[in-house]
Amino acid sequence: MLDDEQRLIQARVSLTQQIDRGSVVLSSQLAGAFLNVPRHPFVPVFYRREGGRFIPWRITDGDAEAWLDAVYTDDSLITEVDGVHAEQAARDGVTGVPTSSSTAPSLMADMLDALDVNEGDEIYEAGAGSGYNAAMLCHLTGDKHVTTVDRSDALTTLARERLNGIGFDPRVIHGDGARDVPPDAMYDRIIATASVRRIPPSWLERCRVGGILVVPVKGTLAGGMIARLTKLPDGTAAGRILHTPAAFMPLKTGTEAEVRVPEIPDSPCRDAGLSGQVLDDWTFSFFAQLHMPHGLIRTYGRSNDGLHVTTLYDPAGGSATRIEDMPEGPPLVTSTGPRDLWTPIEAAHGRWRQLNRPRREWFSIEATPAQQTVSYTAPDGRVHRWTI
């Protein structure tokens, strides 16, 4: 099937039409990229979920048409789970947490449109992943103008091979995407395909004046923000939040130790005004994140009664709070440590409602090496500002 060029063209046309029918209006330049750059060489094996396991799926595993349709569907494809790439996984699959994926093409298109790539622009990509997004960048600007970095040696090796395989030869670096920006280069465009809590100072430094950065900004909650900023002459980068929510996997950087959320002992509790499930509302979660401490962790699951339980933990302050739905009546909040971590979220929800649930695209962002802030200007002219 992969030798049938007409079938592959048909698949790329179908994907481009799917994107164009969605919320992204494709420019002729972007449409040309999706029509000409194939996706399947970058995801020859990917995971599909079966119950609690991730099972590797190859074109040779049964229905080749179904496999090709999945590749050219506007959806993300999981390529790595807990560091195990789909190509190295046993046939019965793995369990764990996804650690790399091929981004949904419509989200790629939205971010590439915001990046506004011109031929000859020097581009830095943090998070090579499968290499598919880097291939798009190569098509748009020319492969000699693209640098892509990934912390996974296996991913960078595969991405380089697959980019070379379709005729592109960008600079592919195995390194820390936040810290290993080549010191000999300045960039017109910087894009991240993994999320960060704050924009790394090295990206601000290596972006030319007038250049554009497109960066997913996210903490512990899903439904993070995608920031689009322009580098100003004074060294500040300023811009807006895109309308599209995104739950990118975090960019791995520095030395990261696994943090265990402690058990919260049964102790005096209080009634909650909100269920922890409110944090799964992506129209609110980005606003809630603005009110959370920098390293706060959220976990969630089900109680023995099958009801929702959210736990918040602040490793820096030592506080932990459990919000547990009850069969009857309001949820219960139980805390240990110096702070009740749910109180600021309840207050943030009230403020969000008072501001008439402002959309993420109405927010601005400003970043310097010293401080990064998100702000919202209400219709009455009052400016609300949060440090991230």
Side-chain angles (χ1 to χ4, degrees), residues 20 27 29 43 54 56 72 84 114 117 127 135 162 173 176 184 193 200 224 229 236 242 295 298 308 328 367 381:
D20 203 40
S27 65
Q29 183 188 27
V43 284
F54 294 91
Y72 285 96
V84 180
V117 177
R162 286 160 186 171
I173 299 173
D176 186 323
D184 58 345
T193 61
L229 308 96
T236 301
L242 301 187
R298 181 218 182 185
H308 182 88
E328 296 182 7

Side-chain angles (χ1 to χ4, degrees), residues 157-374:
T157 299
L158 289 171
R160 184 183 296 109
E161 291 175 356
R162 286 160 186 171
L163 286 160
N164 293 167
I166 63 168
F168 293 138
D169 189 24
R171 187 178 187 182
V172 182
I173 299 173
H174 171 222
D176 186 323
R179 303 184 182 193
D180 293 336
V181 183
D184 58 345
M186 294 293 290
Y187 297 97
D188 302 293
R189 302 289 188 266
I190 293 178
I191 184 170
T193 61
S195 66
V196 294
R197 187 65 181 85
R198 301 176 81 249
I199 299 167
S202 60
W203 298 357
L204 300 174
E205 178 186 346
R206 308 313 296 173
C207 185
R208 287 194 174 106
V209 172
I212 295 172
L213 303 94
V214 175
V215 181
V217 179
K218 177 182 167 294
T220 190
L221 303 180
M225 306 176 286
I226 300 176
R228 196 253 197 191
L229 308 96
T230 300
K231 178 77 172 286
L232 304 179
D234 66 358
T236 301
R240 295 276 182 178
I241 304 302
L242 301 187
H243 71 284
T244 310
F248 281 94
M249 297 169 194
L251 184 73
K252 294 180 180 179
T253 180
T255 302
E256 299 174 341
E258 183 179 355
V259 178
R260 295 181 62 85
V261 177
E263 291 290 331
I264 299 175
D266 292 332
S267 59
C269 53
R270 66 172 179 87
D271 290 346
L274 295 169
S275 165
Q277 295 183 78
V278 72
L279 298 178
D280 298 319
D281 177 355
W282 284 18
T283 64
F284 171 64
S285 61
F286 83 97
F287 190 81
Q289 188 70 64
L290 297 175
H291 298 79
M292 291 182 166
H294 183 75
L296 185 139
I297 298 168
R298 181 218 182 185
T299 62
Y300 59 92
R302 296 284 171 181
S303 67
N304 292 334
D305 295 325
L307 300 174
H308 182 88
V309 179
T310 275
T311 301
L312 303 178
Y313 175 50
D314 179 10
S319 296
T321 298
R322 182 177 67 238
I323 308 94
E324 185 173 2
D325 287 358
M326 294 287 104
E328 296 182 7
L332 292 183
V333 176
T334 309
S335 293
T336 184
R339 297 180 58 208
D340 178 338
L341 299 174
W342 194 236
T343 297
I345 305 304
E346 291 173 313
H349 192 267
R351 189 179 191 187
W352 179 68
R353 295 295 300 235
Q354 188 177 35
L355 293 171
N356 298 311
R357 301 185 300 114
R359 298 178 182 176
R360 67 189 68 224
E361 63 265 31
W362 300 345
F363 288 70
S364 301
I365 184 167
E366 186 172 293
T368 69
Q371 186 178 49
Q372 300 185 19
T373 59
V374 171

Side-chain angles (χ1 to χ4, degrees), residues 63-119:
D63 191 339
E65 279 287 343
W67 181 90
L68 192 65
D69 286 344
V71 170
Y72 285 96
T73 294
D74 182 21
D75 203 355
S76 61
L77 301 175
I78 297 169
T79 55
E80 188 181 81
V81 175
D82 281 347
V84 180
H85 199 275
E87 289 174 75
Q88 277 76 55
R91 295 188 68 85
D92 63 348
V94 297
T95 59
V97 177
T99 47
S100 188
S101 67
S102 176
T103 304
S106 59
L107 181 54
M108 287 174 55
D110 205 21
M111 294 175 68
L112 290 170
D113 181 65
L115 197 64
D116 190 27
V117 177
N118 302 296
E119 187 175 355

Side-chain angles (χ1 to χ4, degrees), residues 117-142:
V117 177
N118 302 296
E119 187 175 355
D121 281 344
E122 295 295 332
I123 299 179
Y124 178 80
E125 179 190 45
S130 70
Y132 183 45
N133 195 71
M136 290 290 177
L137 295 171
C138 290
H139 179 88
L140 293 169
T141 188

